[in-house]
Amino acid sequence: MNWITKIIKAGEKIKTAIHKRATKDEIANSDWTSCCKGPILKKDLEENFWVCPDCNKHHRINPKQRFDIFFGKNNYEIFKTPIPKDDPLDWTDSKSYKDRLKSARKKTGLDCGMMVVSGSINNIKVTAVASDFDFLGASMAAAEGEAFLHGIQHAIENKTPFICFSSGGGMRMMESLISLSQMTRTTMAINELKKNNLPYLVCLTDPTAGGITASYAMLGDLHIAESDHALIAFAGARVIEGTVKESLPENFQRSSYVQKTGFVDLILDRKDLQEKIGILISILLNKKPVISTEENETSEDSQSLTKAAS
């Protein structure tokens, strides 16, 4: 091997090393993630509720992380929800639906894309549900519908408010009409909750779209967006632009814009959700709200919450 060949092979190795990218598993298992200013330790991000301290980006979190923040670490009961038969339509595209479910369950540790729990806010028992975007994009299918209905039934039987942390891209079309029927089922369940005069609060997290927005995510007594940049939409922006043949406004479908059009009542940062939702539930149940008297708690802030709940 002459010196020219050695140089060429060394160059190829360097080129391969430079262009080699980390796999998804390597990124997931790393102690680092990235945000506005580059790499950031996941530990530092976790200490700030998984919110970037520089740009205020609210990174996506799973239901366990969310409930640990909202109720306190492990300070809640997780329910085992009914799981219907997998793959009722024997669906296969580039990969079988059963294999996709198997991978999603291994990745998230969940049987379906929703977790239902019971916990307390301001000494008031509440039932809550949250979706995991890592479970097939938090799409809605029969198992998720059963989980949602199980939570509503528990709320009615125990006379608790119901809080939904919505997320996902819509209905899971591997289950076709079975998936679409969950829009009707969840709507009917919410109506039963309201017949029992129990509050239904929706916290719209990034992203909430498609049939989720077209059903249970927009039927709340109050709609709270998590951060001012959460995506809240039905159809995609490019689809809408192609249909109306017009440019869309800046930040279209972001919570800051959606609030102006009346679909969102409040925008709150993740760190404020527990306190503010606790106050809102107290108001809705006509209980004396526990309102902080710290210097940074203004009367105007309290009045805005009362107005949103009225």
Side-chain angles (χ1 to χ4, degrees):
M1 185 184 294
N2 60 38
W3 64 274
I4 297 176
T5 305
K6 289 181 180 179
I7 291 174
I8 291 172
K9 287 193 173 183
E12 287 176 350
K13 288 182 180 180
I14 293 170
K15 185 177 179 181
T16 301
I18 291 173
H19 289 281
K20 184 181 178 182
R21 294 185 177 182
T23 65
K24 288 184 178 180
D25 288 339
E26 287 174 338
I27 294 172
N29 295 325
S30 170
D31 292 332
W32 298 82
T33 188
S34 61
C35 200
C36 56
K37 291 187 177 180
I40 180 173
L41 276 169
K42 289 180 180 178
K43 183 181 178 182
D44 293 338
L45 203 60
E46 182 178 7
E47 290 175 355
N48 198 43
F49 306 107
W50 297 97
V51 176
C52 178
D54 295 308
C55 67
N56 200 43
K57 177 182 176 180
H58 284 54
H59 289 250
R60 291 173 188 167
I61 55 177
N62 61 45
K64 185 75 167 60
Q65 292 168 326
R66 179 168 297 284
F67 292 136
D68 280 347
I69 293 170
F70 192 70
F71 292 113
K73 194 169 182 65
N74 298 321
N75 194 27
Y76 50 89
E77 178 187 0
I78 302 174
F79 297 135
K80 182 75 174 176
T81 59
I83 301 295
K85 178 184 175 182
D86 286 349
D87 197 10
L89 304 179
D90 195 23
W91 179 280
T92 300
D93 42 60
S94 60
K95 188 177 180 181
S96 74
Y97 180 35
K98 285 183 180 178
D99 286 342
R100 293 184 189 278
L101 285 172
K102 185 178 179 180
S103 297
R105 285 167 179 162
K106 182 179 179 181
K107 182 178 182 180
T108 62
L110 299 177
D111 292 328
C112 73
M114 280 186 171
M115 180 185 284
V116 184
V117 305
S118 175
S120 294
I121 298 292
N122 277 3
N123 295 319
I124 300 171
K125 275 282 187 181
V126 300
T127 307
V129 62
S131 298
D132 193 334
F133 197 82
D134 283 339
F135 197 106
L136 299 176
S139 52
M140 192 81 174
E144 287 72 26
E146 289 295 330
F148 193 93
L149 267 62
H150 184 87
I152 293 284
Q153 183 178 0
H154 179 272
I156 292 173
E157 289 176 354
N158 293 274
K159 301 187 186 312
T160 71
F162 191 78
I163 303 171
C164 172
F165 294 93
S166 68
S167 176
M171 301 297 109
R172 189 179 306 158
M173 295 317 297
M174 292 87 154
E175 295 192 20
S176 190
L177 290 177
I178 296 172
S179 173
L180 290 171
S181 69
Q182 307 313 313
M183 297 172 68
T184 305
R185 297 181 76 212
T186 54
T187 299
M188 293 175 68
I190 292 165
N191 286 341
E192 288 301 313
L193 186 75
K194 293 184 177 183
K195 284 179 184 178
N196 284 269
N197 297 317
L198 296 169
Y200 175 51
L201 275 67
V202 180
C203 181
L204 300 145
T205 75
D206 180 70
T208 298
I212 293 171
T213 307
S215 56
Y216 65 87
M218 280 296 166
L219 295 175
D221 298 309
L222 284 170
H223 298 108
I224 302 161
E226 183 184 58
S227 87
D228 60 2
H229 207 63
L231 176 67
I232 303 168
F234 177 61
R238 284 179 293 180
V239 174
I240 296 173
E241 277 189 328
T243 303
V244 301
K245 309 297 182 185
E246 292 180 9
S247 296
L248 298 175
E250 187 179 358
N251 288 327
F252 183 73
Q253 296 182 328
R254 296 294 172 178
S255 50
S256 55
Y257 181 88
V258 177
Q259 184 186 34
K260 293 176 183 177
T261 58
F263 285 91
V264 166
D265 298 299
L266 287 171
I267 296 175
L268 296 173
D269 283 347
R270 187 173 290 159
K271 62 181 176 61
D272 298 321
L273 286 175
Q274 181 193 53
E275 179 189 359
K276 305 303 183 186
I277 288 178
I279 294 171
L280 289 168
I281 288 174
S282 297
I283 294 170
L284 291 170
L285 292 176
N286 200 26
K287 294 178 181 287
K288 185 178 180 180
V290 181
I291 300 176
S292 171
T293 57
E294 294 179 4
E295 291 180 4
N296 61 351
E297 179 70 32
T298 65
S299 59
E300 183 181 348
D301 188 30
S302 301
Q303 289 170 6
S304 66
L305 290 174
T306 306
K307 183 179 179 182
S310 62

